[in-house]
Amino acid sequence: MIKKKIPYGRQLITDEDIRAVVETLQSDFLTQGPKVAEFEKAFADYIGCKYAVALANGTAALHLCAMVLNVQKGDRVIVPPITFAASSNCIRYCDGEVIFSDIDPVSYTLDFDKVKSLLAKHPKGYFKGMIPVDLAGYAVDLEKFRTLADEYGMWMIEDACHAPGAYFTDSKGKNQRCGNGNFADLAIFSFHPVKHIACGEGGMITTNNKDLYDRLMILRTHGITKDPALMKENHGGWYMEMVDLGYNYRLTDMQAALGTSQLSRAEAGMKRRHELVDKYNKSFNDHPKIKTPFVPQSVFHGYHLYIIQIENRKALYDYLLTQDIIPQIHYIPTHLMPYYQQFGWKKGDFPVSEAYYERCLSLPLYPSLKDEEQDYVISKILDFLK
Ligand SMILES: *Cc1c(COP(=O)(O)O)cnc(C)c1O
């Protein structure tokens, strides 16, 4: 018997995690302190980048990325419609213009050829940047997008919230981890409880660019610096200068301690996610009514989400709820959100995204999902489709 409800995603908190947080509560630092720096170092090592900046959440990370790339009024930035709204909202925070471009029908990520033809229709400089999203954990081939961005003088933010630990194989046969900074100028991650690593709330920016890194570190604490090299004057030990208009986007040491503890189990979590996905695939691959995710050889998928495509989606969704299974829809296309419709976006603009949305369903996937719970989910779905 399955007693509790089965959500699409949830955190896994161990005794070790709890100990790490309690230790921090007993230390001198509650908010940003040594645990934040430790988490940043461990995360940068895991991802394989030079710099990592911990922040209050993934949305704050996106906002600061847009700021350090100097997004200004009217700047056009390309974003896919199938992602969490924060991916495009960061451009609006800086008064930039969001230009949606459709997804690829196979990977469900930004369609390279469509971006290419969109760019070709306009003079160089017309678009300032692009934000590819590693949807569900599918590592986008950023080498291709980088070539295009360079050709048109554009910057690139990788929204890698779904993909810590995922990678693609580049044209030289090298594995490129999501967020490693080899192609995107900046990448962002989230530590919301449904994501791979949970901090409660939390975010991270990764980059290999020292100048962007320096500015991010100042912007996350009000634009204030105590670095003598950056100050105009120096009145003594208390002295600091506000050199930029920043925010309070700090992560706390309590959250960072949890993050570091969670990160130490990232490989095990990824392994379990892949096991669960293999089981789903085995159960559904040959079913005529279910389309399972397609993953090419060149992609090591991060599997934040397991998304199937199915015709009778709403009926299945409603049925699963009655069986105490809580699937989710990722995502309602952002261009159809009332807020974005005021800019002229409308139904019919992005047929692939809209068709995808009509049929997508995210099934329960998280390391603590038990085998018998997954079997229950699979049997309920197969029952319904009979
Ligand atoms: C979760 C998420 C975000 C935002 O992260 P928060 O930490 O919730 O602010 C941004 N983009 C994507 C794709 C996400 O899944």
Side-chain angles (χ1 to χ4, degrees):
M1 261 302 285
I2 305 293
K3 283 191 207 76
K4 56 180 202 299
K5 289 185 192 283
I6 306 174
Y8 81 92
R10 68 165 286 138
Q11 71 277 15
L12 170 59
I13 303 291
T14 64
D15 289 346
E16 200 184 359
D17 291 341
I18 292 168
R19 227 174 295 129
V21 175
V22 171
E23 256 172 46
T24 312
L25 281 168
Q26 291 160 335
S27 78
D28 292 338
F29 293 88
L30 291 187
T31 189
Q32 190 178 298
K35 292 292 172 193
V36 167
E38 208 176 286
F39 185 34
E40 288 171 337
K41 171 81 174 61
F43 196 78
D45 287 350
Y46 179 65
I47 295 298
C49 64
K50 284 196 186 141
Y51 309 107
V53 181
L55 294 151
N57 54 67
T59 305
L62 281 162
H63 183 194
L64 290 196
C65 285
M67 275 185 79
V68 296
L69 293 166
N70 293 316
V71 174
Q72 315 222 335
K73 188 172 167 61
D75 283 1
R76 297 181 192 87
V77 177
I78 297 172
V79 189
I82 299 299
T83 178
F84 186 54
S87 306
S88 48
N89 291 351
C90 65
I91 300 308
R92 293 297 308 138
Y93 296 155
C94 297
D95 221 8
E97 197 180 325
V98 176
I99 307 293
F100 292 107
S101 185
D102 214 347
I103 59 165
D104 173 275
V106 176
S107 71
Y108 313 139
T109 61
L110 199 56
D111 186 321
F112 179 82
D113 293 328
K114 288 206 176 106
V115 172
K116 196 172 169 180
S117 53
L118 177 64
L119 293 179
K121 282 191 201 120
H122 298 278
K124 222 171 148 166
Y126 187 85
F127 297 100
K128 295 284 193 245
M130 56 173 83
I131 309 182
V133 179
D134 301 309
L135 188 86
Y138 187 107
V140 172
D141 184 341
L142 293 187
E143 187 183 27
K144 275 168 70 180
F145 279 99
R146 182 77 256 175
T147 309
L148 203 53
D150 285 345
E151 194 182 331
Y152 286 87
M154 295 162 72
W155 51 253
M156 194 199 304
I157 301 171
E158 176 184 12
D159 185 334
C161 280
H162 297 181
Y167 55 81
F168 71 95
T169 308
D170 71 9
S171 60
K172 295 184 191 74
K174 221 174 147 235
N175 292 337
Q176 300 284 352
R177 278 210 170 193
C178 295
N180 72 3
N182 287 346
F183 303 106
D185 300 278
L186 299 158
I188 72 115
F189 295 88
S190 163
F191 308 123
H192 180 281
V194 297
K195 311 285 165 79
H196 287 68
I197 295 156
C199 291
E201 295 282 355
M204 193 77 84
I205 301 174
T206 56
T207 185
N208 291 336
N209 183 317
K210 175 83 164 62
D211 292 336
L212 295 178
Y213 170 71
D214 287 343
R215 204 168 159 225
L216 289 166
M217 291 293 270
I218 290 174
L219 283 173
R220 82 167 163 193
T221 52
H222 309 279
I224 287 173
T225 184
K226 287 197 92 169
D227 181 353
L230 300 173
M231 299 194 298
K232 286 207 161 73
E233 298 180 22
N234 196 347
H235 304 172
W238 70 87
Y239 193 71
M240 49 85 170
E241 282 182 353
M242 190 194 123
V243 296
D244 209 337
L245 184 61
Y247 295 85
N248 178 354
Y249 277 169
R250 287 188 292 262
L251 188 73
T252 69
D253 253 29
M254 300 175 283
Q255 292 165 314
L258 179 56
T260 305
S261 183
Q262 293 252 310
L263 183 60
S264 71
R265 294 195 312 275
E267 299 288 358
M270 184 67 92
K271 192 163 162 269
R272 178 63 182 153
R273 285 174 185 271
H274 276 255
E275 268 171 28
L276 291 162
V277 166
D278 286 347
K279 180 78 172 275
Y280 275 138
N281 282 340
K282 278 204 189 84
S283 310
F284 298 144
N285 270 350
D286 297 327
H287 200 288
K289 290 181 182 158
I290 302 175
K291 189 173 155 199
T292 54
F294 174 78
V295 184
Q297 278 289 313
S298 59
V299 171
F300 179 76
H301 204 293
Y303 287 122
H304 161 53
L305 301 170
Y306 184 79
I307 304 174
I308 59 167
Q309 291 264 302
I310 189 143
E311 236 160 71
N312 212 357
R313 194 266 312 272
K314 183 167 187 305
L316 175 57
Y317 174 89
D318 290 341
Y319 170 74
L320 292 176
L321 284 187
T322 68
Q323 303 301 309
D324 287 340
I325 298 164
I326 313 169
Q328 186 54 283
I329 307 303
H330 298 95
Y331 290 93
I332 304 162
T334 318
H335 73 285
L336 299 180
M337 291 294 172
Y339 172 80
Y340 280 100
Q341 290 197 356
Q342 69 174 305
F343 303 108
W345 302 106
K346 57 185 187 312
K347 206 163 178 167
D349 283 346
F350 303 107
V352 181
S353 294
E354 291 166 26
Y356 162 90
Y357 166 60
E358 290 301 322
R359 302 166 55 107
C360 69
L361 190 70
S362 303
L363 303 183
L365 182 65
Y366 44 93
S368 61
L369 184 68
K370 296 196 188 79
D371 286 339
E372 62 264 32
E373 290 173 322
Q374 185 185 31
D375 291 343
Y376 173 80
V377 172
I378 291 169
S379 72
K380 288 298 166 187
I381 292 170
L382 294 176
D383 279 354
F384 175 82
L385 293 175
K386 256 187 207 140

